[in-house]
């Protein structure tokens, strides 16, 4: 068996590949549902109902989709330039840590600034923290050829240890009864709710606006052209005059900044403080979402809602039919493998000899 490069990949195949991957994933997951002794149709029905069946379900799904959308955008823009950023999880935590440091110091009055200005500084600090965390691996890749997959992945664990140190040390909330959590943000810095008596907040508007802005950047600007050129063929791009190293650095700052903002928005919109379990793997799920979306920023918006709906729906489904909530993690992980295989088959055909 060998793979033969297709001379042309149809647009329909590229669009249908993620859908086929999702359907194949649901088929594979159905076998696990049967193994658990639950009816497949009712299980999937409850999963959909839990994620999209009511106003409350939609509000929970959209709340979960906000950080997923931002980490998905971070992965999409980086992967587009073939900068394989696996460190969005660490960049998210660094952004959250920076946001709390700026907005929670001495109850938010540490800098003695008006809340409006402090809010801007808090978001800038979060984006800068995430961006700088990815800058090092990007420069090491551009200058020394160091594999950024390894460096960004290892940085995730280093950041989690740093966050743990800070939550048990200088940033620990003295009123938390010994629980390792940070000080609370100043109330004026928290994001407003979009729907009363739900948890969905205006961070959703931030995430959607950034997705549209990133799409416009990729489609209409010189930087977007450079990113696509470097991702298609870095050597050819350099030969054509594209500044490859500068483009990779800008992509790293953009990608890390988006992931850092995810942390700040999660703190300002949902939790008000930072804990070590704030993210159940949003950074890694963002990679799945970016691949499902074909690295398209607008597709990331839909992909994040789909993955968030599966995660939220699994919680309510599990309580009724007894299928473990880990089925949602299986669906998300299998989706990544399926979409990679589907994308491969759009570019190569299998030849048997």
């Amino acid at each position: 068996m060998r793979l033969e490069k297709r001379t042309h990949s149809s647009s329909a195949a590229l669009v249908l590949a993620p859908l086929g991957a999702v359907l194949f994933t649901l088929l594979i997951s159905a076998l696990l549902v049967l193994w658990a002794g639950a009816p497949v149709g009712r299980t999937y029905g409850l999963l959909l109902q839990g994620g999209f069946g009511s106003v409350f379900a939609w509000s929970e799904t959209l709340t979960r989709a906000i950080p997923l959308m931002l980490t998905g955008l971070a992965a999409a823009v980086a992967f587009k330039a073939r900068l394989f950023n696996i460190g969005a999880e660490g960049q998210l935590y660094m952004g959250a840590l920076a946001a709390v440091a700026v907005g929670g110091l001495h109850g938010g009055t540490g800098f003695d600034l008006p809340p409006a200005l402090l809010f801007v500084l808090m978001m800038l600090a979060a984006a800068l923290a995430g961006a700088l965390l990815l800058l090092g691996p990007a420069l090491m890749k551009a200058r020394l050829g160091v594999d950024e997959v390894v460096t960004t992945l290892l940085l995730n664990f280093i950041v989690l240890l740093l966050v743990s140190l800070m939550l048990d040390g200088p940033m620990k909330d003295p009123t938390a009864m010994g629980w390792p959590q940070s000080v609370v943000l100043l109330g004026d810095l928290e994001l407003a709710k979009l729907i009363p008596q739900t948890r969905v907040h205006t961070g959703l508007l931030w995430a959607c606006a950034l997705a549209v802005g990133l799409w416009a950047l990729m489609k209409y600007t010189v930087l977007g052209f450079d990113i696509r050129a470097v991702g298609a063929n870095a050597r050819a791009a350099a030969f054509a005059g594209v500044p490859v190293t500068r483009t990779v650095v800008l992509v790293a700052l953009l990608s890390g900044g988006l992931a850092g903002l995810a942390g700040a928005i999660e703190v300002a919109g949902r939790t008000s403080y930072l804990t070590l379990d704030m993210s159940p793997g949003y950074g890694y799920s963002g990679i799945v979402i970016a691949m499902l979306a074909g690295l398209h920023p607008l597709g990331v918006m839909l992909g994040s809602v789909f993955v968030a709906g599966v995660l939220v729906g699994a919680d309510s489904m599990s309580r009724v039919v007894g299928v473990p909530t880990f089925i949602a993690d299986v669906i998300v992980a299998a989706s990544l493998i399926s979409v990679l295989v589907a994308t491969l088959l759009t570019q190569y055909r299998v030849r048997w000899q």
Side-chain angles (χ1 to χ4, degrees), residues 101-112:
V102 174
L105 189 64
H106 301 302
T109 59
F111 293 98
D112 195 22

Side-chain angles (χ1 to χ4, degrees), residues 26-74:
L26 294 178
L27 182 63
I28 295 297
S29 302
L31 300 178
L32 298 177
V33 173
L34 288 174
W35 191 11
V40 175
R42 185 160 185 252
T43 299
Y44 281 155
L46 289 169
L47 193 147
L48 287 175
Q49 186 179 6
F52 307 103
S54 65
V55 173
F56 176 76
W58 268 104
S59 71
E60 286 298 299
T61 295
L62 293 176
T63 302
R64 188 77 71 92
I66 295 169
L68 291 173
M69 201 179 298
L70 290 167
T71 55
L73 292 173

